Amino acid sequence: MTERHTFGGTLNPITCHAWNKDRSQIAISPNNHEVHIYQRDGNDWKLVDVLNQHDLRVMGIDWAANTNRIVTCAVDRNAYVWTQSEDGKWKPTLVLLRINRAATCVKWSPFENKFAVGSAARLISVCYFESENDWWVSKHIKKPIRSTVTSIDWHPNNVLLVAGSTDYKVRVFSAFIKDIEQHPTPTAWGPKKPLGQMLAEFKNSTSGGGWVHNVSFSADGNRVCWVGHDSAINVADAGNGNSMIKYRTEYLPFLSCEWISPQSIIVAGHSCMPLIYTVDGGKITLAAKLDQSQKRETSGISAMRIFQSLDRNSRTENSDTNLESIHQNAITCICVYQGAKGNVQKVSTSGMDGQLCLWDINELCSSMKGMRI
C-alpha cells in the first residue's frame, strides 16, 4: 500500500523534507526560501509553522530525532539551527558557516552534537556548539575538493563523513572535533585522523561519470553507495580493500539513494519511481520496483489503443501527459520513515511534482515471492 500526500492545496515542487522522531510532523521546503512545518491529522496535514529566516531557496533540512532541533541551509550561504519554544514556535540561531557560495546540503551527526554543511564554495563546514560563546561555529574541510559538494552522510561512529561532489569524486573524510568528543577507535577506513584528513577517494568513473548526486554510508559504516548523473549505482567496500562495484542501469539519472538493509539499496530520481537494488557477490542487481502502478498492458496493445482513440476522436496527436507512475516528476529526496538504515520497513519520497509518498517495503516483499532484501 502506498500513501500519497500533498500540502497547502498547491503542487509546488518539494526540494527536500525531514521527519520528527514520531513521524507526527514533517518539515518541507516548497522550492523557495521557506520551510513549512505540518502536523499530521488523520490523512490530512495542518500547517503549524513557517520558518522564513532564509532569503533564498532552502536546499537542505534535517530534523534531529532526540534533541528535536531542525537545521536548514540555503542558497543565501546561511544555515540556521531551530529550537522549539514552550509555545510551540520555532526560534532560529544563525550558524557561522564562513562560506562565500551557496550551501547545498546539511545533515546532523548520529550523536546530534554536530552537523555538516556542503557548499558550492568547494568545502564542507563541520559545525558544533561552542558553549563559551553560546553560538554555533564551524571548521572547514577543503582539500582536495575541487567543486560543489552535492551530498554528505555520516558514519555511525559520529566522526567519519562521506561527501559527493560535481568534480566526479566521492571522498571519505575525518570530521573529528577534539573540542567536543573523544578520540574514536579505528575503523575499516583507517586509524584515527585529524579533522579534514581524507581516508579514501573514489572516481565516479574512469571516463568522468558525471556529477555525484547522493551518497550513503551502510548501517555498519564499512560500505558507501552513491549515484551520479551517469545513471549508475556504485558501492565501495572498505572491508575489502576499498574495492568498488559499478552497475550502469537503463534508467534516467538517480538523485537520491539510501541503504535499507545490509545488502539492499533504494534509489530514485528522474525516472519518477523508487527502485531496490541488491549487492551480492560483487554484483549489483535490480530486485524490485516499489511503484506497482505501472500498466500491465504490453506495448503493442497500448499503442493500438492509442491509435484507436486518435481515430475515434479525429485527433492527430496524443495530449495525455500523465506518466504511468505515482510520482509525476523527478524524485528529489528519500527519507527513512520506519526502521533504521540496516532494517528499513518504510520510506518516504518527495519530488518536483509536489507529492509526498510513503512506501511499505515489507508489504512489497510479502507480495513478491522469493524477493529478498
Side-chain angles (χ1 to χ4, degrees), residues 97-297:
L97 291 182
R98 299 182 292 119
I99 58 176
N100 58 6
R101 296 289 187 275
T104 55
C105 52
V106 63
K107 185 159 285 192
W108 284 104
S109 68
F111 298 167
E112 301 176 9
N113 59 345
K114 57 184 178 180
F115 58 89
V117 180
S119 72
R122 301 187 298 179
L123 57 84
I124 301 168
S125 297
V126 181
C127 309
Y128 62 100
F129 190 73
E130 194 176 74
S131 55
E132 293 182 1
N133 296 308
D134 194 31
W135 60 8
W136 291 86
V137 296
S138 64
K139 293 187 177 182
H140 288 170
I141 299 175
K142 294 182 178 181
K143 295 181 180 180
I145 303 171
R146 300 183 62 83
S147 192
T148 299
V149 177
T150 55
S151 176
I152 50 180
D153 195 26
W154 286 93
H155 190 279
N157 72 350
N158 202 69
V159 171
L160 302 187
L161 192 69
V162 62
S165 60
T166 57
D167 59 5
Y168 315 149
K169 300 288 183 65
V170 172
R171 301 177 177 93
V172 177
F173 293 103
S174 168
F176 174 68
I177 303 293
K178 64 179 181 179
D179 297 340
I180 62 171
E181 54 193 344
Q182 299 292 324
H183 283 282
T185 57
T187 68
W189 298 97
K192 57 187 180 183
K193 298 288 184 179
L195 175 74
Q197 180 71 43
M198 188 176 71
L199 282 75
E201 181 180 72
F202 305 97
K203 293 182 179 179
N204 194 32
S205 173
T206 55
S207 59
W211 295 358
V212 176
H213 287 308
N214 202 229
V215 294
S216 177
F217 265 118
S218 60
D220 62 5
N222 292 336
R223 289 187 290 178
V224 169
C225 73
W226 69 89
V227 290
H229 208 66
D230 57 351
S231 300
I233 300 170
N234 309 266
V235 175
D237 189 348
N240 192 23
N242 287 357
S243 63
M244 178 180 153
I245 311 168
K246 188 179 191 73
Y247 177 69
R248 295 187 182 274
T249 73
E250 61 184 8
Y251 297 98
L252 295 175
F254 303 116
L255 298 175
S256 189
C257 64
E258 187 64 86
W259 290 91
I260 57 174
S261 81
Q263 298 85 26
S264 300
I265 303 164
I266 185 170
V267 297
H270 288 288
S271 288
C272 309
M273 69 180 77
L275 307 170
I276 295 177
Y277 285 84
T278 57
V279 184
D280 189 18
K283 294 182 180 180
I284 301 175
T285 55
L286 176 64
K289 298 178 181 179
L290 280 190
D291 194 337
Q292 298 297 304
S293 65
Q294 302 294 301
K295 293 181 180 178
R296 300 296 195 271
E297 301 171 327

Side-chain angles (χ1 to χ4, degrees), residues 9 18 39 43 45 61 71 119 127 165 169 196 205 210 214 226 236 239 264 309 326 346 368 372:
Q39 172 81 41
N43 204 40
W45 296 90
I61 308 170
V71 61
S119 72
C127 309
S165 60
K169 300 288 183 65
S205 173
N214 202 229
W226 69 89
S264 300
S309 175
I326 293 177
K346 290 184 180 181
M368 299 180 67
R372 294 192 311 141

